[in-house]
Amino acid sequence: MITIGLAGWGDHDALYRTRQAAKAKLAAYSRLFGTVEVDSSFYAVQPQRNMEKWTAETPEDFRFVVKAYQGMTGHSRGAIPYADEEAMFADFKLALTPMRESGKLSCVLFQYPPWFACTRESVETLRMAKRFMEDIPCALEFRHQSWFVPQMRERTLAFMREEGWRHSVCDEPQAGEGSIPIVEAATDESHTLVRMHGRHAEGWHSSGQPNWREVRYLYRYSRQELEEWAERLRRLEAQSRTVEVIFNNNSGGDAADNARELMMLLGQTPPPIPEEPPERDPGVEQLELF
């Protein structure tokens, strides 16, 4: 099974064309896609009430990919607001309780930063994170090229299989050591995550600049690129029962369109996006009385 969704549900204005949809975006979104990536959990461990609310607003078969808190992946430059790492992981896991109990948690995504290179220390960091997460399904995404240079590719994949990490396959700009190639391989027979970041190489290194959110994921996939990905996804589906695709190329509002186009290329029928009915002319209503 291949399921397709977007990173976040709040920024895709083209999906919310009615007043009701604009007021209840997640509920409207979940009628159009079967999965979503929760990004707010990267910036702060979410209170359990948020997880409960999101779980309640979505259909029974809807799934969430929850991004690991930045303190858990080494993105935080300063001190973490916890006594220690064990307390931080415990708080994060507690927040997941409503999604886990409802069966709506697809996985937790551990996306490590561009400076997280393939070293012994990094390997131990990954082992520790997996121990802290216990039996919660976790997907692993690298940004440093060293994990997938030719001499390390198979060793990295083997490590992920041994440690129980699901592979987050990426499509992203090829922009030096802070980016990785497409590695078409599953490490878990039950689930593989695919994240589509776009291919805007110039914007990829815009972190720290005032407009980085506007340019980093500014990219619209062409039909040919999506056709190539449709074939890749079918091959991944032969390795993994569920392939979950998240489009993250939303700087220019392209993610939703690309996701729906890929659905069609895979033979899936995207649900129609509800439209606000046109306002009736009062004069016409009066005429219809007679």
Side-chain angles (χ1 to χ4, degrees):
M1 179 179 69
I2 301 171
T3 181
I4 297 171
L6 311 177
W9 59 85
D11 298 330
H12 312 285
D13 293 340
L15 300 178
Y16 312 118
R17 302 176 186 175
T18 69
R19 286 185 288 272
Q20 181 59 33
K23 290 178 182 176
K25 289 185 176 181
L26 179 55
Y29 172 96
S30 67
R31 290 191 283 270
L32 301 172
F33 298 99
T35 186
V36 74
E37 181 181 303
V38 177
D39 290 330
S40 55
S41 54
F42 174 78
Y43 299 99
V45 175
Q46 295 298 296
Q48 200 171 118
R49 65 178 180 275
N50 286 0
M51 299 293 192
E52 290 172 349
K53 179 176 182 291
W54 300 334
T55 299
E57 290 176 350
T58 51
E60 186 176 341
D61 60 351
F62 192 80
R63 297 293 179 267
F64 292 90
V65 175
V66 179
K67 202 167 183 181
Y69 171 56
Q70 60 183 333
M72 297 159 58
T73 54
H75 285 84
S76 297
R77 298 289 192 167
I80 59 173
Y82 292 94
D84 52 37
E85 291 193 333
E86 187 173 3
M88 173 175 59
F89 275 81
D91 195 28
F92 184 85
K93 288 187 292 184
L94 183 63
L96 297 174
T97 303
M99 288 183 184
R100 295 183 68 195
E101 291 181 345
S102 68
K104 291 186 179 183
L105 177 66
S106 173
C107 65
V108 174
L109 169 64
F110 279 75
Q111 177 197 301
Y112 283 87
W115 56 87
F116 189 76
C118 183
T119 65
R120 292 183 187 276
E121 182 182 3
S122 295
V123 168
E124 287 308 309
T125 296
L126 294 174
R127 287 196 170 112
M128 182 190 68
K130 199 66 177 60
R131 286 196 298 271
F132 279 140
M133 293 302 291
E134 300 176 300
D135 61 343
I136 297 174
C138 297
L140 178 56
E141 180 172 324
F142 295 112
R143 284 286 165 85
H144 198 280
Q145 203 174 77
S146 57
W147 296 93
F148 288 123
V149 292
Q151 64 270 31
M152 289 303 298
R153 181 184 185 275
E154 293 306 320
R155 293 177 66 181
T156 295
L157 293 171
F159 168 79
M160 292 169 69
R161 293 186 184 103
E162 291 165 6
E163 295 292 319
W165 288 100
R166 299 177 180 186
H167 187 196
S168 175
V169 181
C170 294
D171 185 295
E172 61 190 38
Q174 297 307 289
E177 68 176 15
S179 60
I180 60 169
I182 297 171
V183 179
E184 188 184 309
T187 58
D188 186 295
E189 64 181 14
S190 66
H191 178 257
T192 296
L193 184 63
V194 174
R195 296 179 79 225
M196 309 288 285
H197 298 302
R199 301 178 180 180
H200 185 197
E202 291 181 6
W204 193 243
H205 297 303
S206 60
S207 294
Q209 297 179 22
N211 65 339
W212 75 272
R213 290 183 182 278
E214 300 171 14
V215 300
R216 185 166 200 191
Y217 301 108
L218 182 62
Y219 191 81
R220 189 177 186 90
Y221 285 95
S222 68
R223 186 174 184 87
Q224 180 181 344
E225 289 167 338
L226 293 176
E227 286 172 345
E228 292 170 358
W229 260 106
E231 293 304 311
R232 284 194 188 97
L233 293 172
R234 292 188 182 102
R235 292 193 294 268
L236 284 168
E237 189 182 19
Q239 303 176 47
S240 205
R241 288 191 299 275
T242 298
V243 180
E244 197 166 13
V245 184
I246 297 292
F247 277 85
N248 192 33
N249 58 321
N250 199 48
S251 293
D254 297 307
D257 287 346
N258 277 164
R260 290 170 66 82
E261 186 176 1
L262 180 59
M263 290 170 75
M264 289 186 285
L265 291 173
L266 290 167
Q268 303 175 13
T269 303
I273 301 172
E275 302 274 358
E276 198 75 67
E279 293 186 9
R280 293 174 63 86
D281 185 339
V284 173
E285 290 181 5
Q286 290 177 8
L287 289 173
E288 287 178 352
L289 293 174
F290 301 95

